[in-house]
Amino acid sequence: MRQSQLFTKTRREAPKDEVAKNAQLLLRGGYIYKEMAGAYVYLPLGLRVLNRIMNVIREEMDGIGAQEILMTSLQDKAIWEATGRWSDEVVDNWFKTKLKSGADVGLAFTCEEPLTNLMREYIHSHRDLPLAAYQLQTKFRNEARAKSGIMRGREFIMKDAYSFSKDVDEHNEVYERYAEAYMRIFTRLGLGELTYKTFASGGSFSKYSHEYQTITDAGEDTIYIDDKKHIAINEEVLNDEVLADLGVQRDSLREAKAVEVGNIFTLGTKFSDAYDLNYLDEEGHPHRVFMGSYGIGPGRVMGTIVEVLSDEKGIVWPESVAPFSFHIVALGYEDEAVKAEADKLYEALNARGITVLLDDRIGPSAGEKFADSDLLGMPKRVVVSKKTIAAGLYELKDRKTGEVTTIAHEQLIA
Ligand code: ATP
Ligand code: MG
């Protein structure tokens, strides 16, 4: 993409009312636009990042056999009354509205109820199980505080997956596959080293749930890390019994602030009980379906990447989510030779399927272009100028390490 065509612009300062670092940098880079507190628009560059994050999640979900669907964000009150969760006393962050007829509808904040109800149509026999469905769907939550930029939105996309198994043993196998897929996802997204599988409170069917917590001061949770095992315990469940369970010593744990980027949860038969979701075994005897749920916030992940990987100059995208792999910075693009050389490199990289942003803007100074390039954070930067043309060499800079290599024209393209 040509930067001169990009309708978004970078800005030196973030809006005064924006306190979260992720939102400040993303707003300055033109990745997002703030509609109101807790509601952000993803602009062209931001949407490219979000889509790449969602595609990594998709690949890993498809890889363990979950099937992608898209449920409605409008939800039926009658369905929710079956579990008692329609009540504002039980769930305090509902957005609700009314149809013209006066009937109540809710805006999806999660989907256990409608999906369990839907599955009554498709689950009948032991042959139908196990199965899992997931979606990348807009969720609405009337969050009390929305000061964490895209890490806590009132409207945000969630990847929510739900598994349906014959019994607890089958569920435990499925659950383990999600646990492994989650670690692969966060590793691929560049958060592997800072992200810990964290023991958190379970429900009636399992002692623990597991949160995937990424260490950052921008997080709202406190976790206790065991570095040897690369696991953590949420402070909510830090007690002698849990320490003994996990075979860890209190003294060996390190306290840290962290953000929950994902979680996996054993639901058991809580929802299948409410909707009478049964299957028939080989002898024709009915049994309750055993469920699990698995969430990730792609926007929260994107905000977390910005929080933990950026430096004083701006964002540092991991290659796996960067909007473009290369940033070609043309200095003096108005010069015929510079234009020809920059265009040639741009087209050669594009032809090889390598994504490139070409700074072909006429007007900004070299200093401004470099500052913008650092702010935007593509993994590799190549400068094309009269000087590099005369030398027959390109300067290639790694955004993360700052390392500069000079490389012959042919070599770079090769
Ligand atoms: P938290 O404890 O941070 O409020 P939660 O436990 O309510 O989150 P879930 O309901 O399990 O979260 O949602 C699944 C995932 O969706 C979370 O792990 C998180 O990554 C993401 N998520 C939850 N709330 C938000 C939000 N307001 N904005 C962006 N992402 C969110
Ligand atoms: Mg939570």
Side-chain angles (χ1 to χ4, degrees):
M1 168 162 223
R2 288 176 178 274
Q3 212 167 328
S4 61
Q5 303 301 302
L6 196 61
F7 72 78
T8 61
K9 304 283 178 274
T10 58
R11 45 195 282 187
R12 292 284 150 256
E13 306 288 337
K16 293 265 179 305
D17 62 339
E18 190 59 70
V19 292
K21 176 166 120 183
N22 69 86
Q24 289 175 349
L25 286 171
L26 291 166
L27 285 163
R28 284 183 51 209
Y31 281 91
I32 58 172
Y33 171 87
K34 186 175 190 170
E35 190 65 31
M36 58 181 128
Y40 294 87
V41 175
Y42 287 81
L43 295 168
L45 293 176
L47 186 59
R48 287 179 74 98
V49 176
L50 188 68
N51 278 333
R52 292 195 75 187
I53 293 170
M54 294 197 292
N55 280 335
V56 167
I57 296 170
R58 269 200 182 96
E59 283 172 20
E60 295 293 343
M61 288 296 103
D62 293 346
I64 57 172
Q67 299 174 50
E68 187 171 1
I69 59 173
L70 181 58
M71 299 184 67
T72 63
S73 288
L74 287 181
Q75 297 188 331
D76 184 346
K77 173 184 173 184
I79 291 175
W80 281 84
E81 282 176 334
T83 59
R85 287 212 290 176
W86 179 260
S87 160
D88 289 322
E89 272 97 72
V90 179
V91 175
D92 66 1
N93 61 10
W94 268 114
F95 279 109
K96 293 174 180 169
T97 186
K98 283 193 192 301
L99 301 180
K100 299 248 181 195
S101 65
D104 290 312
V105 287
L107 297 181
F109 72 93
T110 186
C111 284
E112 283 83 358
E113 278 82 347
L115 185 63
T116 310
N117 180 59
L118 175 157
M119 282 297 174
R120 289 199 293 181
E121 180 108 21
Y122 305 102
I123 296 176
H124 303 290
S125 145
H126 62 93
R127 276 179 241 99
D128 299 327
L129 300 173
L131 75 82
Y134 77 97
Q135 60 181 342
L136 287 145
Q137 187 210 35
T138 298
K139 298 289 191 295
F140 300 89
R141 290 185 181 183
N142 205 343
E143 301 273 6
R145 283 166 302 136
K147 289 197 164 80
S148 303
I150 60 170
M151 291 164 75
R152 184 175 294 285
R154 295 197 167 104
E155 173 178 342
F156 60 98
I157 294 180
M158 187 194 287
K159 187 286 292 177
D160 43 334
Y162 305 87
S163 67
F164 301 82
S165 302
K166 289 194 274 297
D167 52 36
V168 64
D169 292 337
E170 185 172 81
H171 165 76
N172 287 341
E173 284 172 33
V174 170
Y175 190 86
E176 206 38 49
R177 280 203 288 282
Y178 277 84
E180 288 162 12
Y182 268 43
M183 231 34 240
R184 285 197 298 276
I185 289 169
F186 297 119
T187 301
R188 287 180 64 182
L189 297 175
L191 296 175
E193 277 169 31
L194 290 170
T195 303
Y196 293 82
K197 181 177 173 181
T198 302
F199 289 75
S201 56
S204 330
F205 292 89
S206 167
K207 200 160 178 190
Y208 303 110
S209 68
H210 296 93
E211 297 170 343
Y212 289 77
Q213 294 273 4
T214 306
I215 300 182
T216 166
D217 284 336
E220 296 172 14
D221 296 349
T222 302
I223 62 168
Y224 290 85
I225 297 165
D226 183 282
D227 283 303
K228 274 214 199 81
K229 296 191 161 152
H230 199 87
I231 57 167
I233 303 170
N234 191 310
E235 69 170 344
E236 292 167 3
V237 300
L238 184 73
N239 58 48
D240 291 342
E241 192 194 331
V242 172
L243 291 171
D245 244 12
L246 302 179
V248 296
Q249 246 70 52
R250 176 66 189 84
D251 309 342
S252 68
L253 300 178
R254 168 166 72 91
E255 184 188 304
K257 295 293 280 174
V259 61
E260 178 198 313
V261 285
N263 67 19
I264 60 178
F265 203 95
T266 295
L267 299 170
T269 60
K270 177 177 170 192
F271 294 94
S272 51
D273 287 340
Y275 298 94
D276 236 345
L277 177 65
N278 303 316
Y279 72 92
L280 298 179
D281 68 17
E282 283 164 42
E283 279 88 47
H285 301 305
H287 300 273
R288 286 285 191 245
V289 173
F290 201 98
M291 293 172 55
S293 71
Y294 314 86
I296 297 182
R300 182 176 290 185
V301 167
M302 179 169 160
T304 304
I305 291 171
V306 175
E307 291 284 341
V308 303
L309 300 179
S310 59
D311 61 20
E312 64 292 345
K313 294 184 187 142
I315 300 168
V316 182
W317 294 117
E319 170 57 40
S320 60
V321 306
F324 298 93
S325 296
F326 275 81
H327 197 179
I328 303 176
V329 177
L331 301 180
Y333 191 75
E334 60 279 15
D335 181 274
E336 278 307 316
V338 171
K339 179 180 188 309
E341 187 68 17
D343 287 356
K344 191 173 102 189
L345 180 60
Y346 175 67
E347 274 146 31
L349 291 174
N350 274 324
R352 282 163 178 77
I354 295 167
T355 55
V356 197
L357 181 65
L358 167 62
D359 189 351
D360 58 347
R361 294 173 302 165
I362 294 169
S365 69
E368 285 166 335
K369 287 195 168 197
F370 289 140
D372 279 350
S373 177
D374 283 335
L375 172 62
L376 291 174
M378 306 315 154
K380 297 260 187 286
R381 171 162 97 202
V382 191
V383 177
V384 177
S385 67
K386 277 187 197 160
K387 207 175 95 195
T388 67
I389 294 170
L393 295 168
Y394 286 123
E395 258 179 34
L396 189 63
K397 185 169 178 182
D398 186 283
R399 176 67 183 85
K400 189 170 163 206
T401 63
E403 201 183 313
V404 181
T405 36
T406 42
I407 182 167
H409 288 184
E410 307 70 42
Q411 212 186 336
L412 175 60
I413 289 169

